[in-house]
Amino acid sequence: MKLIVVKDYEEMSCRAARIIAAQVLKKSDSVLGLATGSTPIGTYRCLIEFYRKKLLDFRTIKTVNLDEYHGLSQTHPQSFRFFMEENFFQHVNLRTSNIHMPEGKAVDPEQETVRYGKLIDSLGGIDLQMLGIGLNGHIGFNEPDDTFSRTVTCVELTQSTIEAYSRFFENTDDVPRRAYTMGIATIMQAKELLLLASGAEKREIIQQAVYGPITTRVPASVLQLHPNVTVITDESAGALL
Ligand code: PGA
């Protein structure tokens, strides 16, 4: 793992955006794996800035997102699709047909997991996957468990994740109980991974992910086995690295 600890959130975001920008420049039909949450917002801001300065062209770039809530439509303000539109998609020249996410409102969740998994395969896999980390060590919505999920699944969210995400909803009861997520195998198949963390509350979990035992109880710890991972944190999150 390559560890980069920088001063603050802004610097973390710009370092991450530069790595993604390099990928876009290197391969104009790259498959970028994208993430939602508070962590990547600054990275998207930097990428939009690069685009506005005409440094980047996303016309032939393809994107796949890590996860999506089960049961929320694309236009629901808390859906990850909505988040992506607001924070990234509508600000750059990505083609809608090149944007891929699990469909929260799919009628048959089982079929949706199969469809999304096959779709990622049909794109030739992911060139660069950006990841945040949950307070419980989850990546995507791969929650601590007795086993690693393999490909795309529809999972039950843990209480800790429901509480962490309740800040975006009016009350905790409104947080969906299930979500689609790329599985650990899907993530591990990406050619390159970028794990971001900021803020003191991520300090212990990022230390466990990077230096702790590889365990299904801290899903991010599996990243230690990937040959091409860059971890970027700010000083607060990286204080124990
Ligand atoms: P956050 O979420 O970026 O909002 O902290 C990360 C995650 O839960 O994966």
Side-chain angles (χ1 to χ4, degrees):
M1 278 181 162
K2 186 172 167 196
L3 301 182
I4 303 175
V5 180
V6 295
K7 194 163 114 280
D8 55 19
Y9 179 82
E10 272 318 299
E11 215 177 305
M12 176 197 78
S13 302
C14 288
R15 287 299 279 267
R18 283 189 204 180
I19 292 172
I20 297 170
Q23 178 65 43
V24 170
L25 289 169
K26 186 167 71 179
K27 188 176 169 215
S28 60
D29 61 346
S30 290
V31 178
L32 299 181
L34 303 178
T36 50
S38 309
T39 309
I41 290 178
T43 305
Y44 294 133
R45 223 184 287 133
C46 289
L47 287 172
I48 293 165
E49 193 63 32
F50 289 156
Y51 169 71
R52 290 194 177 140
K53 288 182 179 159
K54 304 202 186 309
L55 299 172
L56 294 181
D57 182 357
F58 291 94
R59 222 168 354 138
T60 48
I61 294 292
K62 296 159 198 160
T63 68
V64 288
N65 262 77
L66 265 179
D67 44 18
E68 175 62 286
Y69 287 122
H70 170 261
L72 299 193
S73 70
Q74 294 188 354
T75 53
H76 189 290
Q78 301 311 334
S79 73
F80 290 167
R81 177 60 186 243
F82 192 90
F83 172 101
M84 290 303 304
E85 292 290 345
E86 294 270 291
N87 289 290
F88 188 50
F89 295 157
Q90 65 178 232
H91 304 284
V92 296
N93 66 337
L94 275 164
R95 287 202 179 119
T96 308
S97 56
N98 285 338
I99 293 172
H100 305 287
M101 295 185 68
E103 172 53 60
K105 275 294 217 189
V107 180
D108 182 340
E110 192 56 41
Q111 250 181 33
E112 179 57 10
T113 61
V114 174
R115 180 198 71 83
Y116 196 58
K118 281 190 178 157
L119 184 131
I120 295 169
D121 290 344
S122 74
L123 296 175
I126 300 164
D127 290 300
L128 173 61
Q129 175 68 52
M130 174 160 59
L131 299 165
I133 182 169
L135 291 172
N136 61 4
H138 76 195
I139 43 174
F141 274 128
N142 292 283
E143 302 281 47
D145 204 342
D146 294 333
T147 53
F148 285 137
S149 65
R150 287 188 43 73
T151 53
V152 179
T153 47
C154 188
V155 298
E156 302 283 333
L157 301 182
T158 60
Q159 198 52 34
S160 120
T161 296
I162 290 168
E163 278 159 23
Y165 278 76
S166 65
R167 69 190 195 274
F168 300 112
F169 290 82
E170 240 163 65
N171 59 63
T172 310
D173 288 345
D174 295 336
V175 185
R177 270 27 191 182
R178 298 175 74 196
Y180 294 101
T181 182
M182 287 183 197
I184 292 292
T186 323
I187 294 170
M188 290 296 280
Q189 281 161 14
K191 294 186 188 80
E192 186 176 351
L193 298 173
L194 190 54
L195 175 66
L196 307 182
S198 84
E201 57 174 5
K202 299 279 174 75
R203 192 173 287 174
E204 270 88 27
I205 197 65
I206 198 81
Q207 183 202 30
Q208 284 180 49
V210 172
Y211 293 126
I214 298 166
T215 162
T216 58
R217 292 279 141 205
V218 180
S221 64
V222 75
L223 302 178
Q224 294 174 37
L225 298 175
H226 194 284
N228 193 2
V229 188
T230 304
V231 181
I232 311 179
T233 77
D234 63 7
E235 271 174 6
S236 306
L240 303 175
L241 296 182

